């Protein structure tokens, strides 16, 4: 394996000069630096990032803890995190918890004891103390989508406004029986979506129709069973608000099985729109969120905290807005 000594020998300079040139840590004459870079290219030299990180007390790695990736907005958020992290010279380690607190705890402990400088997490809310302990130990933490710890930085969405606007949108379409497929009220986004829905329903003088099921909320199965429940609760249902796209896809399956026309008989919208909604057989109207941008911003905030020399990092909260994108389902 090529070493710094090999590069120095070929460029006819000291090892320390090569190190300064590659790290831009001190002035190196342009001609000398050009010889060094030519030697690096000729020898295909790759610096040992891990060794460098250990010498500097940095790992240049960020752990990402999410509940689910398949057919969820977290896949796009993770893409944004990786893009921003890679650009800044950081690697990423992805942990999938399936919203299981025990799996989340195990992931957090492994990351804390492993090679990470920071953690980005969409948490279950069951490991708040552990997160604070990790942060106090010097590891930067940023929450995404779910603000579980009020004193830890977070990048999220205005869920309340999104649900409120979606409900008002259906009312303007002439809908009077608007159902909501939601998740556990213990998880902030679902609680906030319900608050927005409830506010709009009250202002409109309508009646709430809610559905919640067992199992992972970010799945087609969850949306399928909740849609069945909504139809049983209210046979006059004329609109469905799904918290996430996967639930909306499950809802479309039920409506097709029941031969219920979309959007003529029942209209449908997702509150967490992503790319998949635009390629379905019946394309899905959505309150779309800038998921990739959310990931990029979370990564940049985390890296900023990692690099900060101030041990008392100022807690930051960034809230993105959703944008209504009308498609065939409404």
């Amino acid at each position: 394996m090529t070493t710094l000594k090999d590069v120095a020998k070929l460029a006819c300079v000291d090892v320390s000069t090569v190190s300064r040139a590659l790290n831009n840590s001190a002035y190196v004459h342009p001609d000398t630096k050009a010889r060094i870079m030519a030697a690096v290219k000729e020898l295909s030299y790759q610096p040992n990032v891990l060794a460098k990180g250990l010498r500097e007390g940095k790992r240049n790695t960020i752990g990402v803890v999410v509940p689910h990736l398949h057919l969820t907005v977290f896949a796009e958020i993770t893409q944004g995190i990786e893009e921003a992290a890679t650009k800044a010279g950081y690697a990423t380690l992805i942990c999938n918890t399936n919203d299981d607190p025990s799996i989340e705890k195990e992931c957090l402990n492994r990351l804390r004891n492993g090679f990470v400088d920071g953690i980005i997490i969409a948490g279950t809310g069951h490991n708040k103390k552990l997160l604070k302990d990790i942060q106090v130990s010097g590891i930067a933490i940023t929450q995404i989508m779910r603000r579980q710890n009020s004193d830890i930085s977070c990048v999220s969405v205005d869920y309340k406004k999104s649900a409120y606007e979606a409900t008002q949108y259906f009312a303007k379409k002439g809908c009077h029986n608007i159902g909501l497929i939601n998740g556990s009220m213990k998880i902030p986004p679902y609680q906030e979506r319900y608050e927005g829905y409830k506010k709009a329903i009250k202002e409109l003088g309508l009646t709430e129709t809610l559905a919640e099921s067992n199992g992972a909320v970010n799945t087609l199965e969850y949306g399928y069973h909740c849609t069945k429940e909504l139809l049983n609760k209210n046979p006059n249902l004329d609109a469905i608000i799904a918290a996430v796209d996967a639930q909306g896809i499950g809802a479309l399956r039920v409506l097709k099985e029941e031969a219920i026309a979309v959007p003529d008989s029942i209209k449908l919208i997702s509150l967490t729109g992503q790319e998949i909604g635009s390629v379905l057989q019946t394309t899905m109207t959505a309150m779309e969120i800038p998921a990739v941008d959310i990931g990029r911003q979370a990564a940049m905030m985390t890296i900023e905290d990692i690099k900060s020399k101030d041990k008392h990092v100022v807690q930051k909260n960034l809230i993105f807005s959703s944008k209504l994108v009308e498609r065939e389902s409404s």
Side-chain angles (χ1 to χ4, degrees):
M1 183 175 68
T2 304
T3 67
L4 278 179
K5 289 183 179 180
D6 298 323
V7 174
K9 183 178 180 180
L10 182 60
C12 299
V13 296
D14 294 332
V15 171
S16 60
T17 305
V18 175
S19 180
R20 291 200 305 274
L22 295 180
N23 293 314
N24 294 312
S25 58
Y27 177 77
V28 177
H29 192 280
D31 292 342
T32 303
K33 189 170 185 178
R35 287 206 317 276
I36 292 170
M37 299 312 294
V40 166
K41 184 176 180 180
E42 182 177 338
L43 296 173
S44 299
Y45 171 71
Q46 294 291 329
N48 189 329
V49 176
L50 178 58
K52 178 176 180 290
L54 290 174
R55 288 195 301 271
E56 298 175 352
K58 299 291 184 182
R59 288 84 166 181
N60 290 95
T61 302
I62 296 172
V64 182
V65 182
V66 292
H68 204 64
L69 285 174
H70 182 60
L71 293 179
T72 74
V73 72
F74 293 110
E76 293 179 18
I77 290 174
T78 300
Q79 176 188 336
I81 292 171
E82 289 186 312
E83 286 179 3
T86 300
K87 187 175 181 180
Y90 284 76
T92 52
L93 293 175
I94 313 298
C95 299
N96 190 334
T97 69
N98 289 317
D99 260 333
D100 184 322
S102 61
I103 295 177
E104 179 183 87
K105 182 178 181 180
E106 182 180 350
C107 289
L108 288 172
N109 280 321
R110 285 185 177 180
L111 291 173
R112 176 172 63 174
N113 297 325
F115 293 100
V116 298
D117 303 300
I119 295 173
I120 298 174
I121 180 171
T124 62
H126 291 270
N127 292 297
K128 294 181 181 180
K129 185 178 183 301
L130 176 57
L131 280 172
K132 282 301 298 179
D133 289 344
I134 293 173
Q135 186 183 51
V136 170
S137 74
I139 295 176
I141 296 181
T142 303
Q143 300 173 106
I144 47 171
M145 302 301 283
R146 302 174 176 183
R147 192 184 178 197
Q148 300 283 15
N149 288 50
S150 59
D151 52 354
I152 293 179
S153 296
C154 183
V155 183
S156 62
V157 176
D158 191 338
Y159 302 107
K160 184 175 181 179
K161 180 181 177 184
S162 176
Y164 177 86
E165 291 180 349
T167 308
Q168 291 283 1
Y169 165 74
F170 276 147
K172 290 176 183 177
K173 289 275 189 178
C175 301
H176 298 93
N177 295 275
I178 305 169
L180 173 67
I181 299 175
N182 209 24
S184 171
M185 294 295 184
K186 295 179 180 179
I187 299 178
Y190 298 109
Q191 179 183 353
E192 293 166 21
R193 289 183 183 110
Y194 171 66
E195 290 172 357
Y197 166 80
K198 180 180 180 180
K199 180 183 178 184
I201 289 292
K202 185 176 181 180
E203 289 179 2
L204 294 166
L206 304 178
T207 302
E208 295 180 13
T209 306
L210 302 171
E212 187 178 332
S213 184
N214 297 320
V217 295
N218 289 295
T219 62
L220 279 63
E221 291 77 12
Y222 189 94
Y224 182 91
H225 294 303
C226 284
T227 302
K228 290 276 192 181
E229 183 180 341
L230 288 177
L231 292 171
N232 289 332
K233 284 184 174 180
N234 189 346
N236 296 317
L237 196 71
D238 54 15
I240 296 174
I241 299 174
V244 297
D245 276 4
Q247 294 175 356
I249 296 172
L252 285 172
R253 178 183 169 190
V254 173
L255 297 176
K256 183 176 181 180
E257 290 177 356
E258 299 290 335
I260 298 174
V262 178
D264 296 337
S265 298
I266 292 182
K267 304 182 190 306
L268 173 69
I269 191 171
S270 164
L271 295 180
T272 315
Q274 55 187 123
E275 186 177 1
I276 190 172
S278 65
V279 296
L280 300 172
Q281 184 174 4
T282 300
T283 57
M284 188 158 46
T285 295
M287 300 297 294
E288 293 206 344
I289 67 172
V292 175
D293 288 340
I294 288 172
R296 291 190 186 118
Q297 190 62 48
M300 289 188 289
M301 283 171 57
T302 305
I303 293 167
E304 182 182 335
D305 286 351
I306 291 170
K307 292 182 176 180
S308 174
K309 295 180 180 179
D310 182 3
K311 297 300 180 182
H312 302 286
V313 177
V314 178
Q315 176 250 335
K316 301 174 284 290
N317 286 303
L318 181 61
I319 300 176
F320 284 81
S321 294
S322 304
K323 180 179 72 173
L324 175 65
V325 178
E326 292 187 273
R327 298 193 181 101
E328 296 171 345
S329 69
S330 65

